[in-house]
Structure formats: C-alpha cells, structure tokens
Amino acid sequence: MNRKSDLADGACFKRKRGFRLMGLNFNADGIVRGFFGGNAYLAILFLLFICIFLFKSAIGFIPGFRTELSEARISGIEAANHMNYQLVGYDALYTKVNQAFINEKRAKFGNLATLVPIYEEFESIIDDELEDKVDEYTEMDDSEEKQAAAIKLTTLVTKACGEVSTEELLKTIQSRLPQTTEISDNTYQKALQYAHKYALNDYETPDEINEIPALINDQMGAFNKAMDLIKTSDDELREIYQEIEKIATKTNITISDNRKNLASITSLKDELKDNANDSQVAQAIQTRIKELEPNIIEIDPAKNILPIYEIIAKHDPAADNMVNQFQKGINLLETAEITTEKSTILIHESSRLFQELKEIVTERKSLLAEWKHDKPVTMWNSITAFFFGSDWKTGSDRQSLYGLMPLFSGSLLISLVAMAIAVPLAIGAAIYVNQFANKRESRILKPSIEFIQTIPSVVLGLFGVLVVAGLLQGMSEVSWLSWIPGFPIQDRLNVLLAGILLAFMACPTIFTLAEDALNNVPKAYSEASLAMGANKLQTVLKIIVPASLSGIIAAVMLGFGRVIGETMVVLLVAGNKARIPDLSQGVGALGESVHTMTGIIAQEYGELEPGVLHWKALFMVGLVLFLISLSINSICQRVISRKTS
Amino acid sequence: MDNPFQKQLGWKQKKESIYLWVFRLCTYTIIAAALFIFSDIFIKGVPTFFKSEAPYVNTEFFTESPQILSVWHDQNGQEYSMSQKNYEQWVVAHPEKEIVDLHNLTASGGGILGPLVGTALLVFICMVIALFIGVSAAIYLSEYCGKGKLMSTIRLSILNLAGVPSIVFALFGLGVFCWLAPVITDVPKDSAAFFCRWFWTNSYLSFQGWGTSLLAGSCTLAIMVLPVIITACEESLRAVPKGFREASFALGATQWQTIRKSVLPFAVPGILTASVLGITRVAGETAPIMLTATMTEKSNLPWEQVEGPWSFLTQSVQALPFHIYTLAKFPESEHVKPMQYGSIAAFLILVMSFALLSVILRNRLRNKLKW
Amino acid sequence: MNSQLIQLNDLGFSYDQGKTETIKGVSLDIPEKQVTAFIGPSGCGKSTLLRCLNRMNDLIDTAKITRGSIKILGQDIHASDVDAIELRKHVGMVFQKYNPFPKSIYENVAYGLRIQGIKNKDVLDEAVERSLKGSALWDEVKDRLKTSALGLSGGQQQRLCIARTIAVQPKVILMDEPCSALDPIATAKVEELITELREQYTIVIVTHSMQQASRVSDRTAFFYLGELIEYDKTNTIFQNPSQKHTEDYISGRFG
C-alpha cells in the first residue's frame, strides 16, 4: 500500500537516507565506496612513497660524496690516485707482456720446462719411499760394494718412479703447466737420469736442473732483456706512489675522523640542551663529550700538504722514466724472434696498450701539474664523479670510490649480449608460432614458451653456475672452435654466460608480447596480400611484420627492461668484478667478469647502517635503475596504447 | 592444355622454405633449452627426494632444516658425508674410526623444511596484504573512478611500476620496513629516526624499523606485486561487458549491488588467475627477501622460540630461494650437489605447480562463465 | 566453350572436414569479360563459393572440397600441380571491407608487382599510374602517392584496393560485396568503375543489393542454402525468373 502512495507523489525517486556523520551521508553504498577508495589511495600513496623515498635517500649522496672528495683533495689522496692510475695501467700491460713471455718460453722450451716438474715428482717419490735405501747407500764406504748398491738403487728408483702411470704424471704436471699435452719419452728418461743422480748424491739436486730456468731465460735473448727492462721500469714511480699514499692516507683518516667526531659532539651537545633538567643524563652526556674531545687531532692542512707537493715534483721524471724504459723494452721486443701466434697477438696488443698507457701518463701528468689541494670541489664535480667515475671501490680503509661507469657498462654489456641472442630467437619463434605453425603445434608451443617465465631467476642462476659455466668454458677450449674471437674464455663467470642465461629469461617476455603484436595485425591485411598471389613468406615479411613493428619494438624494449633489472642471475654468474670491460679487445671483452648495478646492491647492502655514504650510494644506483626502467616502460606503454587506440 | 597456374620452382620457393626452417629453428632452440634445463634439474634433483632403502622417501630432506654438512674420511680412505647432527652421533657410535680430513659446508646438510615453511609464510602474508589492497584498489579504479586525466595518469604510473626491477623494491623495503617502520617498544633504539611516548603508557612509538623480518619481507613483496595485481584485476574487471552493468543499473540496483552481482562474478576468473600468477612471481623472487627477510645463520623453525604474534612476525626466516642462493656459492663441491639439485628441483616443482594451477583455473572458470 | 572462363562442375564444399556441406553441388559456367553477380540471402554460400575460386579457403585448416571441380582457363585448380599462389596472381580479389596495407598509396599498388620480383622503377611507376587511372583514382591521388593509404576516404580506399588488384593484370577479379561498407556516392563510383573494368576483365561479384546486381551485372546467379537455384542473364532473372524462390527473393518477400 505504502509503495503505491510513494509512487503517487514521486517520493520513490528520492535518495534514501543513511545516517549522517560529520556532514557526510553514510549509506551502505557510500561505505563500500569509501572502503575501496581508501584502499586505492593507500596503494597509490605507497607507490608514490617509493619514488619519494628513493629520491630522498639517494639525493643526500651528492653532498656527502662531495665532502669525501674534498677531503681526499685536501689530504692529497687525489694526487696519489693520479699516480696509482698509471700504475694500474702498467700492471695490466705488464700482465699481457708477461703472458706472452711465458707462452713463448713454453713453446720454445716446452720439453725442457716439463723436465723440472717431472723431476720434482720423482724427487718426492724418492723422498717418500726410498728414504732408508738412500740413507743406507750414503752411509756405505766400500767402493765396490757401493757400486753394486748404486746399480741396485738406480733400479729401485726406476721401479718406484715407473709405478706412477703416465696419465697420473701428466695430470700432476698439468696442474703446474696447464698447456702440457704429453710427456715425451726423451724428457721422461732425462728426468729419470737426474732422479738417479739425486738419489746417489745424497739428496742433492743436480746442477742441470737448477740451471734450467736461467738457461731458458738466457736463450730467450732479446725477449728476456726486454722483460728485464719492463719489469723494473715502474720501480721509481711505485716508490714515490707508496710514499705519497702513506702520507696522504694518514692525513685523510685524521680529517675524516675529526669530521665524524665533531658531528657526534655537536649532536651530543644538542642532546645536552634538551636534557638540561635531568642532571644524571646530562652528566653522562658530558662525560661522553669529554671522551670524544681528545680524539680530535688538530692538523694544519697547509703544513701537511708540503711533503705531498715535494713528491709530486718528483713524479714527472719518474713517469717519464717508466715510459722511456718501457719503450725501450717494446722496441727490443719487436726485434725478438717470436714463434707462436698467441704471443704475437699478445705482443701486438701490448704495443697498442702501451700507446694508451702513454696517453694516460701524459694526461695524469698535466692533471698533477694543475693539481691544487685547496681548489674547492663543487656539487657538479661530485655528480660527474659519480656518473662518469671509472672506479667503484668500497670496503677498504682507503677512500671509497663510487663511480657508476663500471656497473653501468657491465649491466649494459650483459643486456646487449642477452638481447642480441634473445631478440632473433624470440621474434623468430613468435613469427613461426603465429604464422607458420599449424594449430595443434602452436597450441603446444605457445604455452610451453610462456611457461619458461615461471622459472625463478635464482634457479636459473644456480643452473648457470653448475652446468652452463662448465659447458661454456669446455666449449671455448675445444680447439676447432678457437677461431671464434674471445675463445678460450678468460674467466669462468663472464659476460657471455650471464648474457646467455638472461637471453633465456628474456625470450618468453619478448615472445609473448611480439606474438600478441603479430596477432593484432588485422586478418584483412594478410588476406589481401595472399589474394594478390603473395606467398606466406612475402606476406609475413612485407605486410605483417611491418604492420606490427611498433608492437615488436615495444616487446624488445620491455625485454631489455626486464634483463637490465634482473638481479640474481647476474649476481651469481657475472663474476662480480667492478671494472669497465675492455672493449678495445673486441669480442674478447665478453669473456671478462663484470659487475652490475643490480648485483652491487644485492652484494653490498648487508651490514650497512642507514645513512652512511655507502648506503646512499647504493640508493643512488637504485634510483638510476628505477629511472631507466621507468622510462623504458613509459615509452613502451605509449607505443602500445597508441597502437590500440 | 598448358597449365597456367603451374607451380614455379625457383629461388622464391627455396627462400620461403629456408626462412621457414630458420623460424622453426628459433622456436625449437628455445624449447630445447627449456627442456634441457628442466630435464637436467629433474634428473639430478629428483633422486634426492628418494632413498634406496625403506621408506624410500628421503624423510630427512623434507623434515629437517638445513644444517652444516660434515665431510670426512676414515683411516681406510672411506669417505663419509653427513649432516653435523648425524656426524656427532656417528663419532660416538664408531669410536674405533679415525677421522681424517674433516671439513664443514654451510647449509648443505639436512633438509629444506625450514626454507619451505619460510617461503610459504612469506608468500601467504604477502598475498593477504596485496590481494586485500590490490583487489579493492582495482575495483575502485575501474568501477568508481571516471576516465579523467588524473586517473589515467595514475593507471599508467601503476602500469609502469609493474616493470620496475625487484631489487629497487627490495632497496625500498630495506630502507622503509627494516629501518624506518614504526614499532611500539619499551626501549627505543638509538638508530630510530624518531620516537615519542605512546599515549600514556611507558612504551614508546619508535620509528626504528622491523629489522630483517618476516613482516618486512612480506610487505616488501606485497608492494612489489601490488602494481601487477591492480593492473591484472582492473583488466579482468574491464573485460566484463558494459551491458551487464547497464542492465543491472536499469533494474534499479545500486552501484555496490551491481558490482557484487553482475560484475565481480564474471571477473573472478581473471582475479584468481592474477593472484595465482602473483604467487608464482612472489615465490620466485629472491632479491627482496634476501635484503629484508632472511639471514644465513637462521636455523630454527619459525614457531620455535617465539613469544606472541609480534615476535613471530618480526623474526627473520629462512626461504627457499635464499637457501638456493647460499648453496650457489659452492659450485665445485660434489658433496653439495644433492642438496643443490634437490632444492632447485623442489622449488621448481612448487613454482610450476602454481603456474599450472593458474592455467587450469583460468580454463575451468572461463568455460563455466562464458558470455 | 572458349568464352566460358570459369567452369564449376557439381562443386561441393565443407568448412568442417566434410561433415556438413556449405555448398551442395553447384554447376555453372562464367563467361569471359562479363560481370557475373552472385546473389542470395545471408549464409547461402555465395561468399564461400567466391573464395573457392581463388582458393582463399585453403587458409582454413578444416575447409575441404567435398566433390566436383572448378576449372579456370580449362585447368582444374585443385589439381596437384596447381599452385594456389600462382592461381591467385591470375584471380584477384577485392574484399568486403576495404583493406589497403598500412603503407603509402604507391606501395599499395606496386605491392603485387614487387612480390613478383619486379624492381625496375620505371616499370613500377608505369604500372601504378595505369592501375590508378584504370580505377579512376589517379586524378585524386596523383599528388600524394607517397602518403599513407589509410588517409584516404572509404570509397577511395576501396578503389585503391581495386587498383592494387588490377595492377598485376589478373584474368578474373572476384569482388566480395565491395560496396557494403561504403556510402551511396562512393558506391556509385565503384559501380561505375566495375562497368568500365568489364571491358578488360572477367568480374565475379557477390552482392546483397539486388539493385546493384541489376545495375552492374550481365549475368546473375541466385543461391539459396548452398544450392544454385537459378542462373541466367540478369535481365531474365530480374524480369522473368523461372523459379518461385528467385521471384520471392527478388521481390523482397524473404531474405
């Protein structure tokens, strides 16, 4: 009845009243709406908070780093670094030359070189097993009897040594000289002869054996002389570097300790003000301040810096000396007779690296000439030192260096390798599944490839360490694959390995998105093309792929975003050495260990108190990652949404 | 008569078949790589689950937590490898044997019960938080909000956040949940960012963080999957035809009635799939829990040595992915292999069964609710 | 006999491996250089039949010719030595919804020649101009050949599709309701074009509009439920149909 009367006066259209509170109308619908809305805004706030928090934590890094940089400058560490930089370059170069030298020695005197370890093996056999016999023999006086005993002892030695099988012997030797492939009969007999001598002469190593290394070096001729020159060329520079390093580090530690102590004293004084009423607390704070105060050591930077300048004055001649002596060595090398291809390549590379070293020396010389301890460090310096710094060194008591370049280049290189492998595979697969495979085949293939996405990255990482690393290294050492540049691979964990594993991770991502993009091409296009008499391939390459190109590009970029942000795989298989890969050696750089932006965070977060500079530096890296992935994503979203609209 | 449509044999045809084979090769390379990985892991991993004698199942592997693995020789050169507990028993039981060359390997003995339980707890708490917030946020965004500029910006930002690397979320979680989140405590730590008295009690409200803990890990994971869940749920809500809503409104239903009766039921398959996929993603993540929830030296199960729910939530836990990461540090040791492969096989089975479940669920519910 | 370009003999066709027939034994001969219209209510199989003529139905996995044969130029097009791709070069098709490729106007027209391997710029230029003139589009687009084809109006796009088809100079042009997505003015232009093309090409057109069939075609075939009911000169069909079904349909009593 009631309803009818409502209808009559139109009251049924009126809003139903809930209860009112604080001016808001609470009916069931409003509450539900408020609940959902609250959660939505909570989520949005949280996500917004992430961005703000990242920025806030990261941004403090720049002034903090500036302080450290200026302390390094005032104490002279910066000057020491300039010198160290040259020495690091020298070390890399020396390793190359030395490799060539060792390789050459092995090639020329391989048999002679293996003689020593074989002999030493025999020696230990005699020591272990025939001790009493030898002692017995040595103690004999009678010459005739002794002769007979000598023959007996020699046969005993031969027998004892013969018990070691050739394979075992080879294995032992390979552990010392990895390139040995066989033991020649001749060498074996010689070693045995010397072993006899050893036994007969009361454990005295025959002179011939002792002379072998010297003999080999002598016969290396010009190469050997060059090595002598090169080996000593850095001595002078290293000496003054060590000197400057010692002084500067001492000053630097004092300065930064002073800064930390002063900061805590200031904060304690603030606390004291707050707790002025509470005498007990105030007293405790007072004593702590008193404890801290003597720790502050007055130093006069101007006085401290004098010896630094004195040493810097010595730098130029020392550096020139190094370059000249090295140059002489290199010149000698060019006259030396080189027999193996590997050594030739290594020496060739060394000459190239030497040119780089020369450039480094000139550059650092001019930097040192201009160097002033009291030149202020600007914010901009701090920013560029972070983004373009070529060293990331933390955890030592020396000044920490936070340069993004090694991490960024490592991440980028790994991602590029991964994309180079994954993009053709995934897009090829997408084209095949979408266009060529029959229905039944694609019904199996598509979910199987998408299923790969579920493999957790840590599983893939462990699999890489356990299986793929071994496979890859084994493959790189196979002789008929040695034509591939960069083979054999230097490091077990390397860029290529990480790239392969990440490519496998990126494949399903790219595949799914690219397949979607191909699928979204209107069927009319392919029908029209086929009706013109185009075959399937022409239709795919000329019509379907171009029409879905933007989607495919988005797929590739999203795959790239996924790869560059991947943590566990690179942490486990990239080798984690923070250095800029040496791209000048071409594809060989893929065999190097690198570090990545994601890896460094996962590796160094532990045991850091929030707020220290190192912590802020990690947030800075995180921020860079965040911005990279955000920009990649937003570009892709724009591409995709433009496509669909 | 001549056939004008005869097949022309030539380069074009050859080219087509070459390309076809290249594309096919690409596809099957990926499949072969996947098969290789799966088969290698299962062939080497599954034997760890079983034993040659009764009860044929390796109960130790499933009922014990990871322990130190002791490896040693006796005087006859016989090699032994056992978890440390068993080693101690063995030493007592065999006083006549001499122990030579003993060395210990971290976390390589025992079983994976602790990590399994830890992962389950992390995933469960994370999903409770993420689904609660995520689904309601999605409903709000798709049903109550208009298509204004602000809303589409928010939507796009959420979508973008879904692609942010997990390590960034991990860093955030470390900073916020481990070091900054508020707790109520009697003794605030020095490192607290800020603390004040908690109303009129003797306790303080201190922003000192929850430390490396179950709760911090779960929250970090929840934040990480939130964008994924919101986006996926919103998508499945928007896939419900507009006509359903209009029909419901036309019958005089309120907004909530419309959502409950004629939108949600049809979006449930999508939401369910999204949440199971979310579980797959969360369970597989390592970096966030490594930074926020796990510790290597943790060895007791989560319910041992706890007083009250708060201490349960703020204890550090073991987790399967982190356990695997720890094991990855001994690549060359033969004695660790069974544990390594056993753990990744178990983990893979776990994650894959969730993924499979999501596929089955989706297909089932799709077939039931068709429009 | 020679003027019968296309000969269908008791053709049967099925979409589901032969379980149900969509076309049930159709026999008809289509003469050369005339316009033949297929009419009939929706689902009568006329479009399917059209797509059989250049074997577009091969793209559907479960589709199958169940009986009979199609001969074009005297050649059975399902013979084992016939290549569907070669066939389609001679039997072009224009679709219901205009579907130019997302490329420039020029590239659209040149597409058919390019896929045949013709790279010579002069040949392509000449063919594009000839085809565009042939489809009465040249004057409208000659200044913007390099712009995207998707910027043209609907009618222009459909005429571009026709130009694209005639660029390869096929023997037969199949048109599957070419005007159903166009407004009346664009329709008139396309119809005019069809009348012109009759001079050079054999055209088979499927249409829903009886007026269109009577305006453009020389012969008309009426289909119903997969069977050919009547096939004759257009005038005869429209003025004096022999079957009651045809009469009912034409006079609008069903369909």
Side-chain angles (χ1 to χ4, degrees):
Chain A
M1 286 320 269
N2 201 10
R3 279 180 73 100
K4 226 172 213 171
S5 65
D6 271 359
L7 271 174
D9 59 7
C12 60
F13 303 144
K14 281 195 180 149
R15 186 190 295 273
K16 284 200 192 103
R17 281 276 169 103
F19 67 96
R20 280 177 159 274
L21 186 70
M22 291 156 71
L24 292 168
N25 190 1
F26 277 85
N27 53 24
D29 227 36
I31 292 170
V32 171
R33 185 195 165 107
F35 169 75
F36 289 140
N39 273 317
Y41 286 110
L42 185 66
I44 292 164
L45 273 180
F46 247 128
L47 298 175
L48 197 70
F49 185 48
I50 293 182
C51 312
I52 296 170
F53 185 80
L54 274 178
F55 267 103
K56 198 202 130 270
S57 307
I59 221 70
F61 169 78
I62 292 167
F65 194 35
R66 180 185 168 210
T67 316
E68 286 215 350
L69 284 177
S70 56
E71 277 170 10
R73 182 166 286 173
I74 286 180
S75 57
I77 287 267
E78 204 183 24
N81 282 344
H82 284 318
M83 292 185 196
N84 187 30
Y85 203 75
Q86 300 166 36
L87 287 170
V88 169
Y90 165 85
D91 286 341
L93 183 48
Y94 176 74
T95 321
K96 277 261 152 65
V97 182
N98 200 31
Q99 257 177 23
F101 185 60
I102 290 169
N103 185 52
E104 192 62 18
K105 268 204 301 203
R106 270 200 206 128
K108 275 188 185 157
F109 307 103
N111 283 339
L112 209 51
T114 48
L115 183 59
V116 181
I118 298 174
Y119 163 78
E120 276 166 7
E121 185 62 28
F122 290 163
E123 205 181 274
S124 68
I125 292 170
I126 294 169
D127 287 350
D128 288 350
E129 293 175 21
L130 301 171
E131 208 184 340
D132 350 326
K133 299 272 161 37
V134 176
D135 289 345
E136 209 174 284
Y137 168 80
T138 319
E139 277 158 24
M140 282 184 200
D141 302 321
D142 193 326
S143 59
E144 256 177 54
E145 213 175 297
K146 202 166 180 174
Q147 255 173 12
I151 296 167
K152 211 174 148 197
L153 187 60
T154 18
T155 40
L156 272 176
V157 169
T158 318
K159 201 181 146 215
C161 296
E163 269 168 16
V164 184
S165 72
T166 336
E167 287 91 49
E168 259 176 73
L169 199 58
L170 190 62
K171 239 186 223 165
T172 348
I173 290 163
Q174 272 170 344
S175 67
R176 292 175 55 182
L177 301 172
Q179 285 179 334
T180 326
T181 49
E182 54 164 11
I183 298 167
S184 76
D185 245 5
N186 195 5
T187 321
Y188 187 85
Q189 291 305 332
K190 255 192 196 158
L192 205 54
Q193 261 176 38
Y194 291 130
H196 292 157
K197 259 193 192 170
Y198 172 75
L200 298 177
N201 285 348
D202 193 14
Y203 305 119
E204 197 173 304
T205 310
D207 294 342
E208 290 92 327
I209 290 289
N210 285 332
E211 281 163 7
I212 284 175
L215 187 75
I216 292 175
N217 280 351
D218 267 357
Q219 291 196 359
M220 288 298 288
F223 207 149
N224 195 33
K225 275 182 207 145
M227 280 311 286
D228 282 346
L229 276 172
I230 289 170
K231 222 184 277 177
T232 54
S233 63
D234 66 317
D235 287 354
E236 207 175 324
L237 186 61
R238 202 170 289 270
E239 205 174 296
I240 63 166
Y241 163 67
Q242 274 154 3
E243 214 174 318
I244 194 171
E245 162 88 10
K246 214 167 103 193
I247 303 170
T249 310
K250 209 175 136 202
T251 327
N252 190 26
I253 289 172
T254 325
I255 292 178
S256 61
D257 281 354
N258 279 354
R259 168 168 53 88
K260 281 169 203 157
N261 285 331
L262 269 176
S264 31
I265 288 175
T266 326
S267 73
L268 281 172
K269 276 185 180 156
D270 284 347
E271 227 172 290
L272 191 61
K273 260 183 222 151
D274 293 344
N275 289 305
N277 315 335
D278 195 339
S279 64
Q280 223 170 350
V281 178
Q283 196 130 35
I285 296 173
Q286 286 277 7
T287 36
R288 279 195 53 201
I289 294 178
K290 276 204 185 104
E291 271 167 26
L292 282 172
E293 265 168 354
N295 288 346
I296 295 177
I297 304 157
E298 284 295 323
I299 57 159
D300 181 4
K303 210 185 261 171
N304 267 286
I305 209 71
L306 281 178
I308 301 272
Y309 280 110
E310 273 166 32
I311 298 170
I312 289 177
K314 286 191 225 158
H315 167 264
D316 280 11
D320 287 339
N321 192 12
M322 176 171 91
V323 171
N324 291 338
Q325 205 169 329
F326 212 113
Q327 178 75 60
K328 272 184 209 158
I330 291 273
N331 291 345
L332 256 178
L333 266 186
E334 269 151 23
T335 63
E337 176 200 5
I338 309 290
T339 51
T340 62
E341 201 185 337
K342 198 182 160 196
S343 304
T344 323
I345 295 171
L346 279 168
I347 287 175
H348 191 75
E349 256 176 58
S350 312
S351 310
R352 186 178 54 77
L353 275 177
F354 178 61
Q355 297 309 320
E356 273 177 35
L357 180 66
K358 272 207 284 199
E359 275 165 33
I360 291 173
V361 171
T362 348
E363 184 200 357
R364 297 288 147 165
K365 253 161 69 180
S366 67
L367 281 174
L368 273 172
E370 286 167 18
W371 186 80
K372 287 246 161 37
H373 75 282
D374 47 5
K375 197 174 144 200
V377 181
T378 61
M379 282 292 176
W380 181 246
N381 291 145
S382 157
I383 292 171
T384 49
F386 175 75
F387 281 103
F388 303 106
S390 58
D391 286 293
W392 180 283
K393 273 188 203 134
T394 53
S396 65
D397 40 344
R398 262 198 84 193
Q399 179 214 0
S400 294
L401 289 172
Y402 306 103
L404 187 65
M405 261 306 140
L407 311 177
F408 182 74
S409 57
S411 281
L412 192 67
L413 190 61
I414 289 178
S415 308
L416 289 180
V417 172
M419 293 320 274
I421 301 169
V423 167
L425 279 182
I427 291 179
I431 292 175
Y432 179 75
V433 170
N434 191 265
Q435 295 291 327
F436 290 101
N438 60 39
K439 253 204 185 119
R440 233 177 59 226
E441 204 181 3
S442 65
R443 238 199 329 248
I444 298 167
L445 288 177
K446 214 177 131 181
S448 329
I449 295 180
E450 284 168 355
F451 214 62
I452 296 173
Q453 250 164 343
T454 60
I455 302 180
S457 60
V458 71
V459 170
L460 206 60
L462 180 56
F463 183 79
V465 174
L466 286 177
V467 181
V468 189
L471 278 182
L472 192 68
Q473 201 166 36
M475 206 168 86
S476 83
E477 277 159 9
V478 174
S479 55
W480 53 269
L481 282 174
S482 60
W483 53 269
I484 299 177
F487 275 20
I489 291 169
Q490 308 157 13
D491 301 312
R492 186 183 142 87
L493 301 178
N494 54 51
V495 174
L496 185 61
L497 176 63
I500 290 173
L501 289 168
L502 286 183
F504 183 71
M505 286 195 79
C507 270
T509 311
I510 302 176
F511 169 84
T512 312
L513 293 167
E515 211 263 346
D516 265 358
L518 290 172
N519 216 13
N520 283 339
V521 175
K523 222 177 151 200
Y525 290 166
S526 63
E527 269 192 343
S529 170
L530 289 169
M532 306 274 307
N535 62 24
K536 191 88 203 178
L537 180 69
Q538 287 168 326
T539 309
V540 168
L541 293 186
K542 292 201 169 156
I543 301 297
I544 294 175
V545 171
S548 59
L549 199 61
S550 60
I552 291 177
I553 290 172
V556 170
M557 285 180 66
L558 283 177
F560 184 82
R562 177 155 188 210
V563 162
I564 207 164
E566 172 49 46
T567 312
M568 294 320 286
V569 170
V570 292
L571 185 62
L572 287 172
V573 302
N576 297 348
K577 281 185 200 151
R579 61 178 181 203
I580 300 177
D582 179 13
L583 286 176
S584 59
Q585 55 172 315
V587 191
L590 301 188
E592 284 183 17
S593 289
V594 293
H595 218 318
T596 53
M597 293 191 284
T598 49
I600 205 93
I601 298 175
Q603 202 186 20
E604 298 189 342
Y605 77 94
E607 289 112 43
L608 285 181
E609 284 279 313
V612 299
L613 190 63
H614 192 172
W615 162 280
K616 287 177 188 158
L618 293 185
F619 268 87
M620 209 50 194
V621 177
L623 184 65
V624 171
L625 267 173
F626 183 69
L627 293 179
I628 290 176
S629 66
L630 220 53
S631 47
I632 288 179
N633 281 337
S634 56
I635 292 171
C636 290
Q637 296 310 339
R638 203 156 294 168
V639 168
I640 291 172
S641 67
R642 196 199 305 155
K643 195 70 208 161
T644 48
S645 68
Chain B
M1 198 199 251
D2 246 6
N3 176 2
F5 314 126
Q6 190 152 26
K7 197 164 184 138
Q8 289 175 353
L9 290 172
W11 171 235
K12 223 194 281 175
Q13 274 68 27
K14 249 185 228 157
K15 199 169 141 192
E16 186 169 16
S17 71
I18 290 171
Y19 268 86
L20 174 62
W21 277 103
V22 169
F23 291 142
R24 186 172 285 164
L25 190 72
C26 289
T27 315
Y28 284 99
T29 310
I30 299 175
I31 298 282
L35 276 182
F36 172 61
I37 292 178
F38 281 118
S39 57
D40 187 79
I41 290 175
F42 286 132
I43 288 170
K44 293 182 190 159
V46 170
T48 312
F49 303 165
F50 301 104
K51 275 199 299 204
S52 52
E53 69 251 42
Y56 302 109
V57 176
N58 187 352
T59 43
E60 191 194 8
F61 189 70
F62 293 108
T63 56
E64 300 258 335
S65 286
Q67 295 163 21
I68 290 169
L69 182 76
S70 301
V71 180
W72 73 96
H73 292 88
D74 65 10
Q75 67 269 45
N76 304 326
Q78 171 84 32
E79 193 177 61
Y80 298 87
S81 78
M82 283 181 204
S83 65
Q84 206 176 31
K85 206 162 73 187
N86 295 353
Y87 163 72
E88 277 154 15
Q89 286 168 4
W90 186 88
V91 172
V92 177
H94 301 266
E96 76 285 359
K97 296 269 168 93
E98 204 179 308
I99 289 157
V100 187
D101 200 15
L102 171 73
H103 52 279
N104 291 332
L105 296 158
T106 320
S108 313
I112 56 165
L113 181 65
L116 266 178
V117 170
T119 296
L121 279 173
L122 280 167
V123 170
F124 178 74
I125 298 177
C126 152
M127 287 320 281
V128 167
I129 300 171
L131 280 180
F132 184 77
I133 299 180
V135 174
S136 10
I139 292 176
Y140 185 76
L141 286 177
S142 90
E143 302 299 317
Y144 288 98
C145 283
K147 288 205 162 184
K149 201 149 191 204
L150 179 70
M151 277 302 142
S152 65
T153 317
I154 287 176
R155 256 182 218 124
L156 207 63
S157 331
I158 291 176
L159 204 58
N160 284 340
L161 280 174
V164 168
S166 60
I167 189 80
V168 176
F169 284 106
L171 206 52
F172 167 78
L174 178 67
V176 170
F177 297 119
C178 297
W179 290 100
L180 200 66
V183 291
I184 295 164
T185 171
D186 291 341
V187 224
K189 275 190 203 157
D190 282 346
S191 61
F194 167 77
F195 60 88
C196 61
R197 252 192 220 274
W198 179 242
F199 294 107
W200 302 276
T201 59
N202 273 336
S203 307
Y204 290 87
L205 174 70
S206 166
F207 287 80
Q208 62 186 31
W210 302 327
T212 307
S213 65
L214 180 57
L215 191 59
S218 304
C219 287
T220 310
L221 289 175
I223 295 272
M224 196 193 78
V225 289
L226 206 49
V228 182
I229 287 186
I230 293 179
T231 320
C233 289
E234 221 198 314
E235 216 160 83
S236 57
L237 283 170
R238 256 186 295 163
V240 178
K242 224 175 172 178
F244 289 19
R245 293 182 190 105
E246 281 165 356
S248 172
F249 281 130
L251 289 170
T254 63
Q255 180 125 35
W256 171 233
Q257 284 168 331
T258 304
I259 293 171
R260 207 180 44 172
K261 293 275 160 74
S262 42
V263 178
L264 271 187
F266 302 99
V268 160
I271 294 176
L272 226 63
T273 316
S275 48
V276 180
L277 276 182
I279 292 179
T280 318
R281 188 168 170 195
V282 163
E285 273 302 340
T286 316
I289 54 164
M290 188 168 113
L291 267 67
T292 57
T294 56
M295 285 197 180
T296 326
E297 61 265 30
K298 174 87 181 178
S299 63
N300 50 328
L301 289 168
W303 46 82
E304 291 165 4
Q305 304 168 10
V306 265
E307 318 107 20
W310 184 248
S311 98
F312 179 79
L313 286 174
T314 52
Q315 66 178 329
S316 68
V317 288
Q318 297 168 288
L320 205 41
F322 184 67
H323 175 59
I324 292 171
Y325 171 67
T326 318
L327 291 173
K329 287 171 188 159
F330 322 98
E332 297 301 338
S333 175
E334 274 308 311
H335 306 290
V336 189
K337 286 256 154 81
M339 189 60 169
Q340 283 173 329
Y341 274 103
S343 304
I344 52 177
F347 190 32
L348 211 51
I349 290 172
L350 197 75
V351 173
M352 271 169 38
S353 48
F354 271 115
L356 212 61
L357 182 70
S358 81
V359 174
I360 293 170
L361 263 181
R362 187 175 50 192
N363 290 348
R364 271 275 173 85
L365 292 168
R366 272 277 153 78
N367 290 342
K368 241 187 222 169
L369 296 168
K370 252 189 181 149
W371 56 77
Chain C
M1 187 66 204
N2 205 15
S3 69
Q4 303 301 335
L5 190 72
I6 303 175
Q7 295 159 307
L8 300 176
N9 184 17
D10 188 29
L11 184 76
F13 175 85
S14 159
Y15 274 121
D16 47 7
Q17 305 279 26
K19 273 180 225 146
T20 51
E21 277 193 324
T22 314
I23 295 171
K24 303 163 185 163
V26 169
S27 304
L28 88 168
D29 293 343
I30 294 170
E32 199 174 354
K33 297 203 176 154
Q34 287 196 8
V35 178
T36 306
F38 290 179
I39 59 171
S42 298
C44 68
K46 54 193 190 308
S47 282
T48 307
L49 181 63
L50 193 76
R51 293 168 72 94
C52 283
L53 296 181
N54 68 345
R55 286 179 58 182
M56 283 301 274
N57 285 328
D58 287 14
L59 304 177
I60 300 158
D61 283 340
T62 53
K64 194 178 151 194
I65 298 286
T66 48
R67 55 186 150 129
S69 69
I70 306 170
K71 282 186 182 168
I72 296 178
L73 291 167
Q75 169 68 43
D76 182 355
I77 63 167
H78 288 98
S80 61
D81 60 343
V82 166
D83 187 12
I85 288 161
E86 289 303 317
L87 171 71
R88 289 181 199 139
K89 284 179 187 164
H90 294 93
V91 186
M93 190 161 190
V94 177
F95 294 83
Q96 184 173 5
K97 177 86 172 82
Y98 41 88
N99 55 356
F101 302 127
K103 296 170 177 261
S104 69
I105 295 170
Y106 182 93
E107 283 304 322
N108 261 287
V109 182
Y111 181 77
L113 298 168
R114 282 198 197 273
I115 60 172
Q116 288 181 24
I118 295 168
K119 292 200 178 96
N120 189 325
K121 186 95 176 43
D122 296 335
V123 177
L124 289 177
D125 284 349
E126 193 260 312
V128 168
E129 189 177 340
R130 176 172 44 73
S131 317
L132 284 173
K133 276 181 177 155
S135 59
L137 199 59
W138 177 252
D139 292 331
E140 294 162 56
V141 301
K142 66 182 174 203
D143 302 325
R144 46 171 177 155
L145 289 176
K146 299 289 171 201
T147 57
S148 169
L150 301 181
L152 297 173
S153 73
Q156 285 172 325
Q157 289 197 23
Q158 188 63 296
R159 277 182 284 146
L160 181 66
C161 291
I162 295 173
R164 182 174 69 185
T165 312
I166 61 178
V168 289
Q169 295 182 306
K171 292 274 182 310
V172 184
I173 302 176
L174 308 176
M175 296 187 174
D176 189 357
E177 299 182 36
C179 302
S180 64
L182 302 180
D183 62 64
I185 294 170
T187 304
K189 280 195 174 165
V190 172
E191 282 178 8
E192 199 180 309
L193 176 60
I194 293 171
T195 331
E196 277 169 33
L197 290 174
R198 163 159 56 185
E199 311 284 311
Q200 290 177 50
Y201 303 97
T202 307
I203 296 173
V204 184
I205 180 168
V206 165
T207 176
H208 261 302
S209 147
M210 254 104 41
Q211 286 82 356
Q212 188 173 53
S214 68
R215 279 196 299 265
V216 300
S217 68
D218 302 306
R219 299 176 77 87
T220 299
F222 173 61
F223 292 88
Y224 184 63
L225 294 177
E227 282 174 75
L228 177 65
I229 305 296
E230 196 172 350
Y231 176 50
D232 212 327
K233 291 228 169 67
T234 302
N235 286 342
T236 322
I237 290 265
F238 278 92
Q239 280 157 20
N240 194 11
S242 58
Q243 301 285 326
K244 176 134 195 338
H245 251 320
T246 321
E247 199 182 342
D248 286 353
Y249 183 69
I250 286 165
S251 53
R253 244 166 274 167
F254 78 95

